[in-house]
Amino acid sequence: MPLNRRTFLGASAAAGAGVAIAGGSAAPAAAHGHGHGHGHGRPPKRYSFTVMGTTDLHGNVFNWDYFTDKEFDDKAHNDVGLAKISTLVDRVREEKGRGNTLLIDAGDTIQGTQLSYYYAKVDPITARRGPVHPMAQAMNAIGYDAAALGNHEFNYGIPVLRKFEEQCDFPLLGANALDAKSLRPAFAPYVIKRMRTPHGRDVKVAILGLTNPGIAIWDKANVSGKMVFPGLEEQAAKFVPRLRSMGADVVIVSAHSGSSGTSSYGDQLPYVENAAGLVAEQVPGIDAILVGHAHQEIPEYFVENKRTGKKVVLSEPLKWGQRLTLFDFDLVWEKGRWVVEKAGSRVLNSNTVEEDPKITGLLADEHEKVVAYVNQVIGTSTAAMTTAEAAWKDEPIIDLINVVQAETVKAALAGGEYAALPVLSQASCFSRTAQIPAGDVTIRDAAGLYPFENTLEARLLTGAQLRDYLEFSARYYVQTPVGAPVDTAKLTNADNTPDYNYDAVSGLTYEIDIAKPNGSRIVNLAFEGKPVDPAAQFVLAVNNYRASGGGNFPHVAGAKQLWANSEEIRNTIIAWVQAKGSVDSAQFASVDWRLTREGTPVF
């Protein structure tokens, strides 16, 4: 199971050759009982090698932003994409010698840009005689050795993932992605690579892949009854000793899991979402962990194993190909085996190099197709709308998402037993740079407003539950006393709550008193001008991420599901704009919520 036949045969042949050449002459003198360390004054045998790592590439090949239709840029002038990573990888291989390097990834590869969306949905890789996924083409050309599965690998369903797996020249690893019936790994759990040393003794490097247990919640529709995802620690504890007993000299874990030990799905699963640090702490025998999922930059971080006291090095390169991690290992030959003497890590910044023309040339046609696709005009808008201030003000652009969602749910429930209930809708400000221009509106404008492949559901909630929901959401704001200056740069993201975990709910009116502590901020909660009855029933139009527990909002995951569909909200918005022909914000924009302090509006 763990090795595909090709790598297994190659590895066995190499092992056979290695043993024959080495004979018995390579054992150090110390092994013959002289007891003087390495004996006879001979220097110990040493070998160094480097493992390069990327993570959370999210469909980025080119240094290009398909939503703005220009070269990618941010405040820090980071660059993105595998074409840049390829240049860095070539440099490292040139410096260290190709045979002394490995290249791995920690997941979230095939979702995130319009490039990856196009080849999953518009011209799908699963079609008969379908195309080869651009990420597979690029990663094959660069020469990856292995990649862990990310949670976003499952967004398009298992058939798309299996087709992508088939197109890759390297294994996709997931020791904790198990077949629901047999409980055996549904993907290769690990791969073992051999590094040739000048001393006739190969170094066996095991790479164990672990993915995120949250898949069971976030992609329930795609995996329920098919796959289960136990915790990272328990699967690592099972596999690491096995890899050591198979003769692995170095064990590296590629984990699609952050290092913080926290979860966004609360107690809905017994497993931890960001468990990489716990794996290092609890499972003996690991040398290094490539961390993914959290979109943080961690050049080097050491965690002490509780059982052995040994330090494990962790590194997380920044998302989208903005950084490349380098793990450097120094080994020494001791008592008949290779031992890691020193391990460290650092990151390289992809904005220091040019794109590799080998990669940009390889995928130029695919890139052009997608640019043409996202620039299709779908309608017009009477006014410009932007998310620049949507994190602290009720803006028309967020109302647009909510009106589309509410209308879609109303139409779906029409004629049924819940048709008479009021429909509310939740939406987040996913990006602070999204905009709908005045004049022509394109697919990329609409897609930029909703960058995730979420689908829509309808859940039944009471007035009391909605109040709890809004209180939970309002934790996003930093408590700011009456009279204290309000700096919008410091007002949001309290306790590291990301923008996508702050929901504005339309269809109700309410104030958020930011001077008050968490849990008592929602003031004047009303429906159609009257205070909300705690027992009243409402329908909430909600995305599948939130409905399945993403962000750990109260009540919604356990609430009765009245309706769900598989059409992406983004496509529903595009279709709505196409059907209307023209978007007039005056027809749907309303200020339903505002930030206040003791009744006085903050803005």
Side-chain angles (χ1 to χ4, degrees):
M1 181 71 227
L3 295 160
N4 65 42
R5 195 153 170 275
R6 227 179 7 199
T7 50
F8 178 73
L9 294 173
S12 327
V19 171
I21 298 162
S25 61
H32 301 298
H34 292 285
H36 301 301
H38 293 276
H40 304 315
R42 265 192 296 169
K45 294 182 174 64
R46 294 185 183 280
Y47 176 67
S48 297
F49 71 99
T50 297
V51 177
M52 297 175 278
T54 52
T55 190
D56 297 276
L57 292 167
H58 284 288
N60 285 281
V61 175
F62 296 82
N63 185 39
W64 193 260
D65 183 340
Y66 293 95
F67 295 139
T68 58
D69 200 25
K70 50 179 193 272
E71 197 173 310
F72 177 89
D73 198 23
D74 64 10
K75 280 197 201 102
H77 301 301
N78 287 303
D79 286 348
V80 300
L82 278 169
K84 293 255 177 180
I85 290 293
S86 184
T87 304
L88 289 174
V89 166
D90 281 349
R91 289 191 179 182
V92 174
R93 284 173 175 160
E94 207 173 311
E95 185 197 331
K96 313 270 182 190
R98 168 116 197 198
N100 303 319
T101 65
L102 293 171
L103 175 59
I104 64 176
D105 182 81
D108 276 5
T109 306
I110 59 169
Q111 176 279 340
T113 60
Q114 289 292 294
L115 179 73
S116 52
Y117 175 79
Y118 188 88
Y119 288 97
K121 293 283 199 173
V122 183
D123 184 7
I125 59 173
T126 44
R128 219 165 76 91
R129 297 201 185 87
V132 177
H133 199 290
M135 294 303 284
Q137 290 193 57
M139 292 170 88
N140 290 342
I142 295 167
Y144 273 78
D145 292 290
L149 293 163
N151 51 289
H152 284 285
E153 260 61 90
F154 293 85
N155 286 174
Y156 298 117
I158 292 169
V160 169
L161 173 52
R162 286 297 188 195
K163 188 66 187 180
F164 174 69
E165 180 188 28
E166 195 184 296
Q167 293 177 343
C168 292
D169 297 342
F170 51 90
L172 299 183
L173 307 177
N176 62 331
L178 312 182
D179 178 87
K181 292 187 179 59
S182 69
L183 297 183
R184 294 170 65 90
F187 294 84
Y190 58 84
V191 66
I192 294 179
K193 302 300 247 181
R194 285 179 171 270
M195 315 296 286
R196 284 289 177 89
T197 74
H199 308 295
R201 300 284 179 131
D202 290 355
V203 173
K204 284 170 88 171
V205 182
I207 300 148
L208 177 68
L210 295 168
T211 192
N212 206 294
I215 295 163
I217 283 181
W218 305 319
D219 265 307
K220 192 190 274 167
N222 290 327
V223 299
S224 188
K226 297 175 187 146
M227 290 186 196
V228 292
F229 302 89
L232 286 88
E233 307 98 307
E234 64 174 90
Q235 289 304 99
K238 195 164 133 182
F239 279 99
V240 173
R242 192 181 299 179
L243 294 169
R244 289 291 182 186
S245 70
M246 288 164 70
D249 301 298
V250 181
V251 173
I252 298 163
V253 173
S254 182
H256 193 75
S257 180
S259 63
S260 65
T262 58
S263 275
S264 72
Y265 44 70
D267 53 8
Q268 293 172 76
L269 278 179
Y271 314 117
V272 177
E273 177 180 350
N274 295 306
L278 299 173
V279 170
E281 194 179 82
Q282 294 172 19
V283 181
I286 296 167
D287 294 293
I289 302 182
L290 177 65
V291 177
H293 182 63
H295 292 199
Q296 306 281 315
E297 181 175 343
I298 305 173
E300 181 180 60
Y301 173 58
F302 289 95
V303 173
E304 193 173 299
N305 184 272
K306 280 184 166 166
R307 300 243 299 270
T308 63
K310 203 187 108 171
K311 284 195 167 31
V312 183
V313 63
L314 280 69
S315 179
E316 181 175 10
L318 200 56
K319 64 182 188 294
W320 306 345
Q322 295 179 44
R323 305 286 184 276
L324 176 70
T325 280
L326 303 189
F327 289 107
D328 291 312
F329 297 96
D330 295 333
L331 277 61
V332 62
W333 182 263
E334 265 177 14
K335 301 192 173 116
R337 64 188 202 88
W338 288 108
V339 177
V340 176
E341 192 172 47
K342 186 165 166 273
S345 62
R346 57 199 164 101
V347 295
L348 302 181
N349 192 330
S350 64
N351 73 6
T352 59
V353 294
E354 294 303 310
E355 292 188 308
D356 183 346
K358 173 180 87 207
I359 303 301
T360 53
L362 178 70
L363 292 161
D365 291 353
E366 285 84 344
H367 175 65
E368 277 162 29
K369 258 188 213 171
V370 174
V371 168
Y373 162 75
V374 299
N375 281 302
Q376 289 173 47
V377 173
I378 52 171
T380 59
S381 175
T382 55
M385 296 181 277
T386 165
T387 55
E389 298 189 326
W392 55 86
K393 281 184 190 169
D394 186 348
E395 292 283 17
I397 197 164
I398 303 298
D399 293 336
L400 173 62
I401 300 174
N402 277 326
V403 76
V404 172
Q405 291 183 166
E407 281 188 14
T408 304
V409 166
K410 270 180 198 148
L413 298 179
E417 62 172 308
Y418 300 101
L421 290 180
V423 177
L424 315 175
S425 175
Q426 64 75 230
S428 304
C429 174
F430 293 121
S431 151
R432 296 193 186 189
T433 56
Q435 51 190 328
I436 301 287
D440 285 350
V441 178
T442 62
I443 283 179
R444 69 180 166 85
D445 298 325
L449 178 57
Y450 213 108
F452 296 103
E453 276 79 21
N454 294 341
T455 56
L456 190 59
E457 297 194 11
R459 296 279 177 135
L460 188 63
L461 292 170
T462 65
Q465 289 176 325
L466 280 160
R467 179 180 285 278
D468 289 348
Y469 188 100
L470 290 169
E471 286 287 6
F472 183 88
S473 189
R475 303 178 322 155
Y476 172 73
Y477 295 106
V478 173
Q479 189 172 358
T480 312
V482 176
V486 175
D487 176 0
T488 54
K490 295 177 183 153
L491 177 64
T492 61
N493 309 100
D495 294 327
N496 295 319
T497 303
D499 290 349
Y500 62 76
N501 276 341
Y502 169 66
D503 285 0
V505 173
S506 75
L508 300 168
T509 55
Y510 57 97
E511 294 169 18
I512 300 171
D513 189 331
I514 58 169
K516 290 191 156 84
N518 283 341
S520 58
R521 291 181 167 180
I522 301 300
V523 184
N524 297 330
L525 178 61
F527 174 67
E528 292 183 343
K530 297 186 190 70
V532 166
D533 174 359
Q537 289 193 312
F538 296 88
V539 177
L540 182 66
V542 58
N543 70 53
N544 68 309
Y545 173 79
R546 189 70 79 237
S548 59
N552 200 26
F553 275 62
H555 307 304
V556 67
K560 183 179 172 74
Q561 185 190 71
L562 307 181
W563 173 82
N565 80 347
S566 58
E567 183 64 46
E568 286 152 31
I569 292 166
R570 174 164 66 202
N571 286 348
T572 306
I573 295 169
I574 290 167
W576 189 90
V577 173
Q578 280 173 319
K580 288 266 191 273
S582 172
V583 177
D584 180 2
S585 59
Q587 291 179 355
F588 57 78
S590 63
V591 177
D592 295 329
W593 63 273
R594 54 166 52 92
L595 302 186
T596 58
R597 286 184 292 189
E598 288 183 359
T600 306
V602 175
F603 301 106

